[in-house]
Coordinates of all heavy atoms in Angstrom, one line a residue:
S1 N 121.0 122.9 -12.8 CA 120.1 123.8 -12.1 C 118.6 123.7 -12.7 O 117.7 124.1 -12.0 CB 120.5 125.2 -12.1 OG 120.7 125.7 -13.4
A2 N 118.5 123.1 -13.9 CA 117.2 122.8 -14.4 C 116.3 122.0 -13.5 O 115.1 122.1 -13.4 CB 117.3 122.2 -15.8
L3 N 117.0 121.1 -12.7 CA 116.3 120.2 -11.8 C 115.7 121.0 -10.7 O 114.8 120.5 -10.0 CB 117.2 119.1 -11.3 CG 117.8 118.2 -12.4 CD1 118.8 117.2 -11.8 CD2 116.7 117.4 -13.0
D4 N 116.2 122.2 -10.4 CA 115.6 123.1 -9.4 C 114.6 124.1 -10.0 O 113.6 124.4 -9.4 CB 116.7 123.8 -8.6 CG 117.6 122.9 -7.9 OD1 117.1 121.9 -7.3 OD2 118.8 123.1 -7.9
I5 N 114.9 124.5 -11.2 CA 114.1 125.5 -11.9 C 112.8 125.0 -12.3 O 111.7 125.7 -12.1 CB 114.9 126.1 -13.2 CG1 116.1 126.8 -12.7 CG2 114.0 126.9 -14.0 CD1 117.1 127.2 -13.9
I6 N 112.7 123.8 -12.9 CA 111.4 123.2 -13.3 C 110.4 123.1 -12.2 O 109.3 123.6 -12.3 CB 111.7 121.9 -14.1 CG1 112.4 122.2 -15.4 CG2 110.4 121.2 -14.3 CD1 112.9 120.9 -16.1
P7 N 110.8 122.5 -11.0 CA 109.8 122.4 -10.0 C 109.4 123.8 -9.4 O 108.2 124.0 -9.0 CB 110.5 121.6 -8.9 CG 111.6 120.9 -9.6 CD 112.0 121.7 -10.7
A8 N 110.3 124.7 -9.4 CA 110.0 126.1 -8.9 C 109.0 126.7 -9.8 O 108.0 127.4 -9.4 CB 111.2 126.9 -8.8
L9 N 109.1 126.5 -11.1 CA 108.1 127.1 -12.1 C 106.8 126.4 -11.9 O 105.7 127.0 -11.9 CB 108.6 126.9 -13.5 CG 109.8 127.8 -13.9 CD1 110.4 127.3 -15.3 CD2 109.4 129.2 -14.0
Q10 N 106.8 125.1 -11.7 CA 105.6 124.3 -11.5 C 104.9 124.8 -10.2 O 103.6 124.9 -10.2 CB 105.9 122.8 -11.5 CG 106.3 122.3 -12.8 CD 106.7 120.8 -12.7 OE1 107.3 120.4 -11.7 NE2 106.5 120.1 -13.8
R11 N 105.6 125.0 -9.2 CA 105.0 125.5 -7.9 C 104.4 126.8 -8.1 O 103.4 127.2 -7.4 CB 106.0 125.5 -6.8 CG 106.4 124.1 -6.2 CD 107.2 124.2 -4.9 NE 108.4 125.0 -5.1 CZ 109.6 124.4 -5.5 NH1 109.6 123.1 -5.8 NH2 110.7 125.1 -5.6
A12 N 104.9 127.6 -9.0 CA 104.4 129.0 -9.3 C 103.2 128.9 -10.2 O 102.6 129.9 -10.6 CB 105.5 129.9 -9.9
G13 N 102.8 127.7 -10.7 CA 101.6 127.5 -11.5 C 101.9 127.4 -13.0 O 101.0 127.3 -13.8
A14 N 103.2 127.3 -13.4 CA 103.5 127.2 -14.8 C 103.3 125.8 -15.3 O 103.6 124.8 -14.5 CB 105.0 127.6 -15.0
I15 N 102.9 125.6 -16.5 CA 102.9 124.3 -17.2 C 104.2 124.2 -17.9 O 104.5 125.0 -18.8 CB 101.7 124.2 -18.1 CG1 100.4 124.3 -17.4 CG2 101.8 122.9 -18.9 CD1 99.2 124.5 -18.3
V16 N 105.0 123.3 -17.5 CA 106.4 123.2 -18.0 C 106.6 122.0 -18.9 O 106.1 120.9 -18.6 CB 107.4 123.1 -16.8 CG1 108.8 122.9 -17.3 CG2 107.3 124.3 -15.8
A17 N 107.2 122.3 -20.0 CA 107.6 121.2 -21.0 C 109.1 121.6 -21.3 O 109.5 122.7 -21.1 CB 106.8 121.3 -22.2
Y18 N 109.8 120.6 -21.8 CA 111.2 120.8 -22.1 C 111.6 120.1 -23.4 O 110.9 119.2 -23.9 CB 112.1 120.4 -21.0 CG 112.5 119.0 -21.0 CD1 113.7 118.6 -21.5 CD2 111.7 118.0 -20.4 CE1 114.1 117.2 -21.5 CE2 112.1 116.7 -20.4 CZ 113.3 116.3 -20.9 OH 113.6 115.0 -20.9
Y19 N 112.6 120.7 -24.0 CA 113.2 120.1 -25.2 C 114.7 120.0 -25.1 O 115.3 121.0 -24.8 CB 112.8 120.9 -26.5 CG 113.6 120.5 -27.7 CD1 113.4 119.3 -28.3 CD2 114.6 121.3 -28.2 CE1 114.1 118.9 -29.4 CE2 115.3 120.9 -29.3 CZ 115.1 119.7 -29.9 OH 115.8 119.3 -31.0
D20 N 115.2 118.8 -25.2 CA 116.6 118.6 -25.2 C 116.9 117.4 -26.0 O 116.5 116.2 -25.7 CB 117.1 118.3 -23.7 CG 118.6 118.3 -23.6 OD1 119.3 117.8 -24.5 OD2 119.1 118.9 -22.6
C21 N 117.7 117.6 -27.1 CA 118.0 116.5 -28.0 C 118.9 115.4 -27.4 O 119.0 114.3 -27.9 CB 118.6 117.1 -29.3 SG 120.2 117.9 -29.1
L22 N 119.6 115.7 -26.3 CA 120.5 114.8 -25.7 C 119.9 114.1 -24.4 O 120.4 113.2 -23.9 CB 121.8 115.5 -25.3 CG 122.6 116.0 -26.5 CD1 123.8 116.7 -26.0 CD2 122.9 115.0 -27.5
V23 N 118.8 114.7 -23.9 CA 118.2 114.1 -22.7 C 116.7 113.9 -23.0 O 115.8 114.7 -22.8 CB 118.3 115.1 -21.5 CG1 117.7 114.6 -20.2 CG2 119.8 115.5 -21.3
P24 N 116.4 112.7 -23.5 CA 115.0 112.4 -23.8 C 114.0 112.2 -22.6 O 112.8 112.5 -22.8 CB 115.1 111.0 -24.6 CG 116.4 110.4 -24.2 CD 117.3 111.6 -23.8
T25 N 114.6 111.8 -21.5 CA 113.7 111.7 -20.3 C 114.5 112.4 -19.1 O 115.7 112.3 -19.0 CB 113.5 110.2 -19.9 OG1 112.9 109.6 -21.0 CG2 112.6 110.0 -18.7
L26 N 113.7 113.1 -18.3 CA 114.2 113.8 -17.2 C 113.5 113.4 -15.9 O 112.3 113.5 -15.9 CB 114.0 115.3 -17.5 CG 114.5 116.3 -16.4 CD1 116.1 116.2 -16.3 CD2 114.1 117.7 -16.8
R27 N 114.2 113.0 -14.9 CA 113.6 112.6 -13.6 C 114.0 113.7 -12.6 O 115.1 114.0 -12.4 CB 114.1 111.3 -13.1 CG 113.5 110.9 -11.8 CD 113.9 109.5 -11.4 NE 113.5 108.5 -12.3 CZ 112.3 107.8 -12.3 NH1 111.5 108.0 -11.3 NH2 112.1 106.9 -13.2
L28 N 112.9 114.3 -12.1 CA 113.1 115.4 -11.1 C 113.4 114.8 -9.7 O 113.2 113.6 -9.5 CB 111.8 116.3 -11.1 CG 111.5 117.0 -12.4 CD1 110.2 117.7 -12.3 CD2 112.6 117.9 -12.9
H29 N 113.8 115.7 -8.8 CA 114.1 115.2 -7.5 C 113.0 114.5 -6.8 O 113.2 113.6 -5.9 CB 114.6 116.4 -6.6 CG 115.9 117.0 -7.1 ND1 117.0 116.4 -7.3 CD2 116.1 118.3 -7.4 CE1 118.0 117.2 -7.7 NE2 117.5 118.4 -7.8
D30 N 111.7 114.9 -7.1 CA 110.6 114.3 -6.4 C 110.2 113.0 -7.1 O 109.2 112.4 -6.7 CB 109.4 115.2 -6.3 CG 108.8 115.5 -7.7 OD1 109.3 115.0 -8.7 OD2 107.8 116.3 -7.7
G31 N 110.9 112.5 -8.1 CA 110.6 111.3 -8.8 C 109.7 111.5 -10.0 O 109.5 110.5 -10.8
T32 N 109.2 112.7 -10.2 CA 108.4 112.9 -11.4 C 109.3 112.8 -12.7 O 110.4 113.2 -12.7 CB 107.9 114.4 -11.4 OG1 107.1 114.6 -10.2 CG2 107.0 114.7 -12.6
T33 N 108.7 112.2 -13.7 CA 109.4 112.0 -15.0 C 108.8 112.9 -16.0 O 107.6 112.9 -16.2 CB 109.4 110.6 -15.4 OG1 110.0 109.8 -14.4 CG2 110.2 110.3 -16.7
L34 N 109.6 113.6 -16.8 CA 109.2 114.4 -17.9 C 109.8 113.8 -19.2 O 111.0 113.3 -19.1 CB 109.6 115.9 -17.8 CG 109.0 116.6 -16.6 CD1 109.6 118.0 -16.5 CD2 107.5 116.7 -16.7
Q35 N 109.1 113.9 -20.3 CA 109.7 113.5 -21.6 C 110.0 114.7 -22.4 O 109.1 115.6 -22.5 CB 108.6 112.6 -22.3 CG 108.2 111.4 -21.6 CD 109.4 110.4 -21.5 OE1 110.2 110.2 -22.4 NE2 109.4 109.7 -20.3
S36 N 111.1 114.7 -23.1 CA 111.4 115.8 -24.0 C 110.4 115.9 -25.1 O 110.0 114.9 -25.6 CB 112.8 115.6 -24.5 OG 113.2 116.6 -25.5
L37 N 110.1 117.1 -25.5 CA 109.2 117.3 -26.7 C 110.0 116.8 -27.9 O 111.1 117.0 -28.1 CB 108.9 118.7 -26.9 CG 108.1 119.4 -25.7 CD1 108.0 120.9 -26.0 CD2 106.7 118.8 -25.6
D38 N 109.2 116.1 -28.8 CA 109.8 115.6 -30.0 C 110.0 116.7 -31.0 O 111.0 116.8 -31.7 CB 109.0 114.5 -30.7 CG 109.0 113.2 -29.9 OD1 110.1 112.9 -29.2 OD2 108.0 112.5 -29.9
N39 N 109.0 117.6 -31.1 CA 109.0 118.7 -32.1 C 108.4 119.9 -31.4 O 107.2 120.2 -31.5 CB 108.1 118.2 -33.2 CG 108.1 119.2 -34.4 OD1 109.0 120.1 -34.4 ND2 107.2 119.1 -35.3
P40 N 109.2 120.7 -30.7 CA 108.7 121.9 -30.0 C 108.1 122.9 -31.0 O 108.6 123.0 -32.2 CB 109.9 122.4 -29.3 CG 111.1 121.9 -30.1 CD 110.7 120.6 -30.6

């Protein structure tokens, strides 16, 4: 559900970053790619 939560937060004006030690790169449904923070 993070794939739905992140774009919803972005549409609401949030600047979104994420940290996941097992998922270094995240591709959203619209094709946007995010990189996990190395050191949150």
Side-chain angles (χ1 to χ4, degrees):
S1 59
L3 297 174
D4 297 319
I5 293 169
I6 291 171
L9 290 170
Q10 291 172 326
R11 284 191 302 275
I15 298 170
V16 177
Y18 84 98
Y19 168 69
D20 190 319
C21 61
L22 300 179
V23 182
T25 302
L26 180 65
R27 182 175 297 267
L28 301 177
H29 296 305
D30 69 357
T32 304
T33 301
L34 299 175
Q35 300 294 321
S36 176
L37 299 173
D38 290 328
N39 186 15

